[in-house]
Amino acid sequence: MIRRILFSVAFAVLALAQGTSAHHNMTALFDFNDRVTLNGTLTKVDWRNPHAYLTLDVKNTGGAMESWSAEGPSPTWFRIRDVGKADFESSIGKSLTVELSRARDHSLSGLIRTITLPNGRVVSACPQNC
Amino acid sequence: MKMANRIAIAFAVVLVCLPGVAYRAAAQELAAEAKDKEAAEARKKRNALQFENNATTIVFYDRTGKRTGSLGERTLYGETVLSPDGSRVAVVKNDLDGETADLFILDVKTGASTRLTTSARTEFVMGPVWSPDSSRIAYVTILKGQEGIYIRPANGQGTAEKIYSNPGAFLNLSDWSADGKFLTFAFSDMQGGTLYTLAVDGGPDRKAVEVFHTDLRVFAPKFSPDGRFLSYIMIDKANKAEVFVRPSTPTTTNEPWQVSDGTVSPAFWRRDGKELYYLARDQAVMVAEVNTSPSFSFQKPKVLFKQASAVPDRLTNVSADGERFLALPPARGPQLQQITIFDRKGEVLQKVGDPGLYGGPAFSPDGTRLLVSKTDQQKAQADLWIIELASGKAMQLTKDSYPKVSPMWSRDGKYIYYTSFRAGDLPIYRRLSDGSGDEEFVFKWTPGAFVGVTDISPDGKYLVCDGGGIILTVPLTGDPATRKEIEYLREEFTDTTGRLSPDGRFMMFRSDEEKPERGEVYVRTFDPSTGKAGEGKWKVSKDGVMAMLHWRADGKEVFFRGQNLESNELLVMAADVTTGPTFTASTPKVLFKLPGPLGGNLGNISPDGQRFVFAVNVPAAGTK
């Protein structure tokens, strides 16, 4: 937030915000208008900078199992919001719901907008991931 | 062994181990709680200091540039927007502890404050605009992860109505048309920028109308009072911003009109549509006489007024009658920086040149020159300069409008490496430190990802870089366009500022592993054959580290800036170290203290560890 305060003009804030609020410019790799909500089983957590990654097994419409990769904000981002590595690791093997902005290359991957943990807690990754 | 015996032994083992396991789990939980508590306390102290260093009030200027009054408590203001009737100011106040920014209305006569929004933690309000009758406010906020435009009464009564959902974020809402029927906003990203209008009364399925799309970034569209035109800011490929005007409806028949010759602010229309104001690069308030009928036309902009200070107040808004100008003064008064060199006791050895807007001074490897970032207020442009310490002679190294960060000398002093912000991308370039030759592209990471050089290996084979809390090494071989980074250190902690020992065997860095919100200095091994970390890890500091990690050229001492969360005092720390056969470090001691704050400029140390250079704040009063 202090970053927003320090820049000298209003449009400079907006010019730079999208370049500096995250590790990379999200719109380069993900399409915010192409969203998907997945309900699947969490199989893997990669809890490292610059982005945490979740892997989910999700049944597609044909009934076949697909492995999706969901990119989240950094571990520090989650920690500031009182969500820790343990919250995700304890969810491995359990059902998780994530809303993703899909990758522009149409791979089975996306950028996390919201996560609903098995205990019902909803974590929004916006504005960083929007 | 009989099965019964096995079961009995297993049962006994479980009985013996269970209390231990439970104890360890409880201990881990308590340790995690203590760590969280310590981090929260550190964050609170840091926020209090940031508030003290940045809080300010709102001031008014008249058309002659005379300061006529002030408004509001001393706090961290974001946007400030005068109501069309001039009686109130909509302000966004930043709350560091709550990690929010909320909307308030200040009465200009009484100073009374009315709170309009209360955001959840990490959510915030931006872009307030007034309805033409000054009765309502439209603004952008994120609620439960969804950004949208909301409208609510400006008197604090009633509820907010959501009128638009944005699939992305950082929508730039900037005006409400004089007939009350439309809002206008912009959205820009790496793909370019788009101007939109949105009907205020349109039902829940209202769609934004795309007025104009470009591969450049556009911001701050504002309606002419008759609603026929939009002024807006467009930033070109060279990162220069200009005021343009174009029709407010989608059309390909009219070319846009470029009104400005450089701007650092949005444009503001007078309510009669006869004048347009903006802030020039040299901070002068400019006025252009304009006409919107039968088509748009304008006269060459003139200087309306210019503040006398070398560090002027930041203009934020203009009244609808063009008589009052809102501004935010620098929190600690106007300040410049004096490049100053200190000895190991903190005594001044040399003041280099005159005060100016300086940052990031760094000694050349031979200690005879300084690399500095210097901002030219006339051009609103920061460039890299090289200053010879013996003669004081200064040479401008870069001459472009791209923001440049993380400048770094090569080990032989021949090159300067730096990251350059270019239309949303942040590639690394280098150029010869004698000013000759052209800029050379060195490396680009993921599209739009920040990567900053923190060191170059002694053998010149690797860049060491910061990027998103991880430390990268980049082999400087092959085609720069195809260079690939190596993850030297990538973990859940935020690791930054990798600095290699003079023998190239160890990497010193800052990590928040033990103290979130603070960080300590650590050292790990570096394998020059792979660019990766080897075995071994040592902690050097114990009371927090701010920045400025350095090795002495003989590899026998390290330096860093300590961290004092409760004051601006600057602590220069040093520790004796050995790097052979393995790494050892003595307990760090304070070499000297300086009054702060120094803001973002990090300071630097001569290779022999005898001289320390900082850009020290000095009052700018009386200077131009």
Side-chain angles (χ1 to χ4, degrees):
Chain A
M1 180 174 298
I2 197 68
R3 182 182 65 239
R4 295 201 301 137
I5 298 162
L6 295 177
F7 287 149
S8 59
V9 290
F11 71 84
V13 174
L14 287 147
L16 294 174
Q18 289 162 84
T20 55
S21 63
H23 152 244
H24 57 76
N25 189 312
M26 302 308 183
T27 58
L29 303 177
F30 302 99
D31 184 351
F32 294 146
N33 290 305
D34 184 5
R35 294 192 229 166
V36 61
T37 300
L38 304 174
N39 195 304
T41 304
L42 183 65
T43 60
K44 187 182 167 190
V45 177
D46 183 2
W47 197 251
R48 294 188 298 168
N49 278 312
H51 304 282
Y53 285 89
L54 307 179
T55 307
L56 291 94
D57 280 349
V58 181
K59 260 188 191 170
N60 67 18
T61 49
M65 199 62 82
E66 294 176 335
S67 180
W68 280 74
S69 174
E71 178 181 315
S74 69
T76 301
W77 186 95
F78 282 107
R79 190 184 66 223
I80 289 169
R81 285 149 184 85
D82 302 323
V83 182
K85 184 181 182 181
D87 292 301
F88 286 97
E89 288 189 335
S90 65
S91 302
I92 289 177
K94 297 178 184 174
S95 178
L96 204 69
T97 301
V98 292
E99 184 193 12
L100 305 177
S101 296
R102 287 200 66 172
R104 289 188 186 276
D105 65 4
H106 301 295
S107 59
L108 297 179
S109 62
L111 186 70
I112 295 172
R113 293 178 63 92
T114 59
I115 309 167
T116 306
L117 293 167
N119 64 7
R121 180 172 178 189
V122 178
V123 182
S124 163
C126 290
Q128 271 75 5
N129 276 11
C130 289
Chain B
M1 190 184 290
K2 288 181 180 177
M3 182 59 73
N5 288 344
R6 286 181 186 169
I7 291 170
I9 290 169
F11 188 63
V13 168
V14 168
L15 279 178
V16 169
C17 292
L18 259 183
V21 170
Y23 173 78
R24 278 195 297 277
Q28 281 173 356
E29 198 170 315
L30 283 171
E33 276 182 23
K35 200 172 174 179
D36 289 346
K37 191 179 171 190
E38 189 182 3
E41 286 171 358
R43 194 158 55 225
K44 198 163 186 176
K45 288 176 182 173
R46 187 193 61 202
N47 290 345
L49 205 53
Q50 286 188 348
F51 184 93
E52 277 312 302
N53 291 338
N54 294 290
T56 187
T57 55
I58 299 166
V59 296
F60 291 96
Y61 283 86
D62 65 15
R63 280 177 76 93
T64 68
K66 182 184 170 191
R67 202 190 265 197
T68 57
S70 64
L71 176 69
E73 62 177 340
R74 186 171 164 267
T75 192
L76 302 172
Y77 289 104
E79 290 139 299
T80 60
V81 186
L82 258 168
S83 60
D85 65 9
S87 67
R88 288 158 292 163
V89 179
V91 301
V92 175
K93 293 184 188 178
N94 293 288
D95 174 356
L96 296 179
D97 286 338
E99 295 189 56
T100 59
D102 275 300
L103 183 59
F104 294 76
I105 303 298
L106 304 182
D107 187 285
V108 172
K109 268 189 185 169
T110 65
S113 174
T114 304
R115 184 176 195 134
L116 290 198
T117 65
T118 302
S119 298
R121 191 175 170 201
T122 73
E123 297 186 337
F124 51 86
V125 171
M126 53 189 174
V129 295
W130 288 89
S131 63
D133 64 359
S134 302
S135 68
R136 292 183 292 167
I137 296 272
Y139 57 94
V140 176
T141 193
I142 294 169
L143 291 179
K144 295 178 181 171
Q146 177 67 61
E147 184 174 278
I149 298 175
Y150 293 77
I151 292 179
R152 68 184 311 151
N155 62 5
Q157 308 295 312
T159 56
E161 178 198 1
K162 185 177 186 179
I163 67 160
Y164 183 71
S165 290
N166 180 26
F170 299 112
L171 178 155
N172 174 216
L173 178 64
S174 47
D175 204 13
W176 195 323
S177 63
D179 64 6
K181 292 180 178 175
F182 297 96
L183 299 175
T184 181
F185 61 87
F187 181 77
S188 290
D189 60 23
M190 283 185 78
Q191 275 74 48
T194 310
L195 304 179
Y196 295 92
T197 57
L198 179 71
V200 172
D201 299 316
D205 298 326
R206 60 169 74 73
K207 302 278 186 219
V209 174
E210 182 180 317
V211 176
F212 169 60
H213 177 78
T214 166
D215 60 352
L216 301 175
R217 289 166 292 157
V218 290
F219 299 96
K222 288 180 185 286
F223 288 105
S224 59
D226 62 8
R228 298 176 60 223
F229 298 92
L230 286 174
S231 66
Y232 59 99
I233 306 302
M234 188 156 68
I235 301 177
D236 67 16
K237 300 276 187 195
N239 206 50
K240 289 184 176 171
E242 299 293 356
V243 175
F244 286 85
V245 172
R246 67 181 307 118
S248 60
T249 52
T251 174
T252 55
T253 55
N254 291 76
E255 291 297 319
W257 295 268
Q258 181 180 332
V259 176
S260 66
D261 182 16
T263 183
V264 293
S265 81
F268 302 91
W269 296 85
R270 197 166 73 182
R271 71 157 64 95
D272 62 3
K274 300 294 184 189
E275 286 188 345
L276 200 59
Y277 312 95
Y278 64 92
L279 202 57
R281 290 196 194 106
D282 65 356
Q283 306 290 314
V285 176
M286 306 296 291
V287 57
E289 287 182 31
V290 297
N291 207 320
T292 57
S293 182
S295 182
F296 180 78
S297 62
F298 68 101
Q299 302 296 312
K300 187 180 178 187
K302 298 174 185 169
V303 175
L304 187 62
F305 68 86
K306 189 176 178 185
Q307 297 174 47
S309 172
V311 185
D313 299 347
R314 175 164 66 91
L315 182 77
T316 58
N317 201 243
V318 183
S319 64
D321 60 6
E323 296 295 327
R324 283 186 296 172
F325 297 78
L326 262 63
L328 294 171
R332 302 176 71 87
Q335 291 185 320
L336 296 173
Q337 288 76 46
Q338 171 70 61
I339 303 285
T340 309
I341 298 174
F342 299 85
D343 67 11
R344 287 177 69 96
K345 293 178 182 171
E347 301 291 331
V348 174
L349 287 175
Q350 184 181 356
K351 290 184 179 178
V352 183
D354 294 324
L357 291 168
Y358 287 109
F363 284 103
S364 59
D366 65 5
T368 63
R369 294 177 291 168
L370 284 181
L371 164 67
V372 298
S373 169
K374 182 182 179 185
T375 299
D376 180 344
Q377 280 271 43
Q378 296 300 310
K379 297 179 182 172
Q381 180 173 311
D383 276 298
L384 302 177
W385 289 67
I386 305 288
I387 303 173
E388 287 180 13
L389 286 172
S391 65
K393 188 181 166 190
M395 178 197 66
Q396 187 173 353
L397 190 67
T398 62
K399 293 174 184 171
D400 63 63
S401 53
Y402 303 115
K404 293 162 277 286
V405 295
S406 308
M408 170 71 56
W409 290 92
S410 62
R411 292 266 179 167
D412 59 6
K414 195 176 171 188
Y415 289 98
I416 302 295
Y417 289 78
Y418 52 92
T419 300
S420 184
F421 186 95
R422 302 190 177 195
D425 237 336
L426 295 120
I428 293 171
Y429 289 86
R430 74 173 186 179
R431 54 188 319 147
L432 289 163
S433 64
D434 65 6
S436 65
D438 295 325
E439 187 177 65
E440 295 174 45
F441 170 74
V442 176
F443 174 67
K444 194 176 100 168
W445 199 19
T446 313
F450 171 76
V451 60
V453 183
T454 62
D455 206 0
I456 295 152
S457 62
D459 60 10
K461 291 181 177 173
Y462 294 96
L463 288 184
V464 182
C465 300
D466 274 349
I470 72 179
I471 294 175
L472 305 170
T473 54
V474 180
L476 290 171
T477 51
D479 178 3
T482 59
R483 283 175 181 156
K484 291 289 177 197
E485 72 283 356
I486 295 165
E487 290 177 354
Y488 172 80
L489 194 57
R490 182 181 170 205
E491 49 192 9
E492 65 181 279
F493 314 113
T494 299
D495 304 315
T496 64
T497 328
R499 303 277 295 162
L500 283 163
S501 59
D503 63 9
R505 296 174 54 228
F506 297 93
M507 182 89 80
M508 177 165 58
F509 61 96
R510 180 186 191 273
S511 174
D512 68 353
E513 173 179 351
E514 188 178 309
K515 292 179 179 171
E517 308 292 337
R518 297 196 69 175
E520 298 288 5
V521 176
Y522 296 85
V523 167
R524 294 182 71 133
T525 53
F526 175 75
D527 182 349
S529 67
T530 62
K532 294 185 174 180
E535 294 297 315
K537 180 181 172 186
W538 300 266
K539 185 180 162 195
V540 176
S541 64
K542 64 182 179 63
D543 295 318
V545 57
M546 187 83 180
M548 203 178 76
L549 278 59
H550 279 268
W551 295 83
R552 202 168 73 192
D554 63 5
K556 293 182 177 174
E557 192 176 27
V558 295
F559 306 92
F560 58 92
R561 264 175 66 180
Q563 191 173 43
N564 186 342
L565 292 166
E566 292 169 347
S567 89
N568 288 313
E569 191 174 61
L570 186 145
L571 304 172
V572 177
M573 310 291 293
D576 295 326
V577 298
T578 63
T579 56
T582 185
F583 180 83
T584 65
S586 67
T587 302
K589 58 182 184 294
V590 178
L591 271 188
F592 63 90
K593 299 178 183 179
L594 291 176
L598 291 188
N601 80 73
L602 304 178
N604 191 262
I605 300 161
S606 63
D608 61 4
Q610 300 302 310
R611 291 175 296 162
F612 300 76
V613 63
F614 297 99
V616 177
N617 287 329
V618 293
T623 61
K624 286 195 176 184

